[in-house]
Amino acid sequence: RPNIRNSGSFWLYSMSLNYWFHHGGDIYSLQWPWGNSADGYISNLMASMNQDPYVQWWSDTIFADPHHIPFEYLSSTELQPKPPVDIAQARRFPDTGQLSAFDRFYDHQSDRIFFRSSQWGGHSHAHADQNSFVIHSGGEIMAADVGYYTYYGDEYHLNWTVTTFPHNTMLVNGEGQIPQSIDSKGEIVSFFNTPHYTFFSG
């Protein structure tokens, strides 16, 4: 199905690659040196299902929790990875309202920006962070999404993590968006990508 085929590309463009900071929703504790411990074998499974060498490259490059290596049998194939040097360096995912743009996709030290403006608002594990962005440069996070949490649903998570304030977006008269509400909707209204620049707005 097209939405399943597209999920591997979403992983490739939108998930953190060897950065401890995720973005665009609930993220993991600062004490972990990697993100979701299942990233490696799930993305590997998607790559093998769709014979996508670029997603295979992402899967082979990500730091994965060693405890999950035994699950490699679910997805190991002979598919050879291919660095994302000859595909678009930016992509919009209108279903999720996320956009990623890279200076040099294959270079972990290169500049990149992640942007979110989603029809799903701040519902469930999403945050009240429409029109927010994260910027990476030189292997560092220059404009961070600080919406990490210790425990889902604790006081810090409910009163800080999911609100607008810890994200790189605007307040209106000092007020943020409605947290944990699907009604705080956003939309990426324009996107234009060329080999020289990327333009978008939300």
Side-chain angles (χ1 to χ4, degrees), residues 20-28 30 98 114 116 127 129 132-136 141-149 160-168:
W20 50 262
F21 244 116
H22 282 227
H23 38 75
D26 279 342
I27 56 181
Y28 296 90
L30 301 181
Q98 289 181 254
F114 302 96
R116 179 175 188 268
H127 296 174
D129 60 355
S132 65
F133 61 89
V134 175
I135 297 174
H136 297 179
I141 300 170
M142 309 305 289
D145 178 348
V146 297
Y148 68 89
Y149 65 95
W160 178 254
T161 299
V162 301
T163 69
T164 306
F165 300 98
H167 304 284
N168 300 308

